[in-house]
Amino acid sequence: MQLFLIEPAAYTAFNDEAALIEQCKEWNLLSEKATKAKTFFYKRNGLTLACRLIGYVDKMTAVIELEDKRLHCIHPSYLKEMQASTYGQKSAVGAEDAAESERAVPAVTATETSLEPPAKETPELEAPEAKKPQTEEPESAEQPTKGKTKKAKTPKLQLPEEKVKMTATVKQFTTVPNNFSDNDDEVIIYEAVSIAEPATEIGEAWSSNSATMKKLELEIGDTITFEAKIIAKKLTRHPVPYKINNPSKIQKQES
């Protein structure tokens, strides 16, 4: 059976397995505790093909290599959904058909729908950032009624792409479910998170409670400084919108 594939015109290959594992964790294809890469499966038109991640076009477009060495571009969330054992057992409108019909793209773009995240995708550790409901009234000359005042929209934070110096205070230790493991993932929720340069107040963020973090024997209320990359990723079951990735040079401030 012929597969419709989108071969990348150009892409960035992973330098080594460590870079692959880090990116897979960022895409939520591997758990935070994973130390090895794994084989993924590409499922379409009733076929199940082993594949491996070899690079990316951008942060929303992964590049996989199929068994016959052909390359294909795919959205990481769509690839994650394919790993579920029930993926091929959906109704007549299968996952691949649903993805195509629900996010149809004009043909002139030459872009396969699989590059868009599936409508039913629900990452275990985080979910795509939800759009804020448009509750504000358009500006007009009318006066607010019943003593209510209009709230100005909060500008979206522009997060740096590279590692930056940060400060954070431990607010809570908790766990969240992990669909790829029998055990829940341990995480730390922080408050008063801020970036040193340029000075930016973040608010709340979270990170995995890794072996490195456990060595610090942190307690609620402890303040730490470190270098890390911060991204917009919501924590499952918690209203925490940002994730701290791979903190290093961690120092606990004396109280």
Side-chain angles (χ1 to χ4, degrees):
M1 183 178 293
Q2 184 68 26
L3 282 178
F4 175 70
L5 300 178
I6 300 177
E7 296 187 4
Y11 69 95
T12 302
F14 294 119
N15 294 328
D16 50 33
E17 187 177 28
L20 167 62
I21 292 172
E22 182 177 356
Q23 187 60 61
C24 283
K25 290 180 179 179
E26 189 170 324
W27 282 335
N28 202 29
L29 290 169
L30 290 176
S31 72
E32 291 293 337
K33 298 178 182 179
T35 57
K36 292 183 180 180
K38 71 174 186 179
T39 299
F40 294 96
F41 293 95
Y42 180 72
K43 302 176 183 178
R44 192 173 183 120
N45 298 335
L47 297 176
T48 298
L49 303 175
C51 65
R52 65 188 188 95
L53 275 166
I54 62 171
Y56 56 90
V57 176
D58 52 45
K59 294 301 182 181
M60 301 299 289
T61 309
V63 177
I64 59 175
E65 181 182 71
L66 301 177
E67 296 170 324
D68 57 6
K69 302 301 180 181
R70 288 187 296 171
L71 306 185
H72 178 55
C73 297
I74 187 170
H75 193 284
S77 295
Y78 191 34
L79 179 62
K80 178 185 174 182
E81 184 174 280
M82 289 181 178
Q83 308 317 301
S85 59
T86 57
Y87 180 82
Q89 302 172 12
K90 295 186 177 181
S91 60
V93 181
E96 61 274 13
D97 296 328
E100 291 176 1
S101 61
E102 292 169 4
R103 286 183 171 78
V105 186
V108 294
T109 63
T111 302
E112 185 187 14
T113 310
S114 63
L115 295 184
E116 293 292 334
K120 297 182 180 180
E121 170 60 22
T122 310
E124 294 300 326
L125 287 179
E126 57 267 336
E129 183 179 359
K131 292 184 179 179
K132 296 181 180 179
Q134 300 298 319
T135 57
E136 291 81 9
E137 295 286 336
E139 292 186 4
S140 68
E142 296 180 6
Q143 296 296 324
T145 59
K146 298 182 181 179
K148 294 182 179 179
T149 57
K150 297 177 183 178
K151 295 182 180 179
K153 291 182 179 179
T154 303
K156 185 176 180 180
L157 284 176
Q158 294 297 320
L159 300 176
E161 295 184 0
E162 67 283 350
K163 275 193 169 186
V164 289
K165 241 182 215 185
M166 303 180 67
T167 301
T169 300
V170 178
K171 178 182 180 181
Q172 180 183 352
F173 295 92
T174 188
T175 59
V176 292
N178 182 349
N179 193 43
F180 296 99
S181 173
D182 294 332
N183 300 317
D184 290 346
D185 285 334
E186 299 180 37
V187 299
I188 305 174
I189 298 177
Y190 306 92
E191 60 185 352
V193 180
S194 63
I195 298 173
E197 294 181 6
T200 306
E201 295 295 330
I202 301 297
E204 290 190 347
W206 65 279
S207 75
S208 62
N209 192 6
S210 61
T212 301
M213 301 303 292
K214 289 179 179 179
K215 287 179 182 178
L216 297 172
E217 298 182 349
L218 295 174
E219 297 179 358
I220 294 175
D222 284 345
T223 298
I224 57 175
T225 58
F226 52 90
E227 291 184 7
K229 182 177 179 181
I230 184 165
I231 59 175
K233 281 197 175 182
K234 184 178 179 296
L235 179 61
T236 301
R237 300 179 182 175
H238 298 271
V240 185
Y242 303 106
K243 181 186 177 187
I244 296 168
N245 271 348
N246 303 321
S248 61
K249 301 180 182 178
I250 309 167
Q251 292 185 344
K252 184 163 61 171
Q253 295 185 358
E254 296 296 334
S255 56

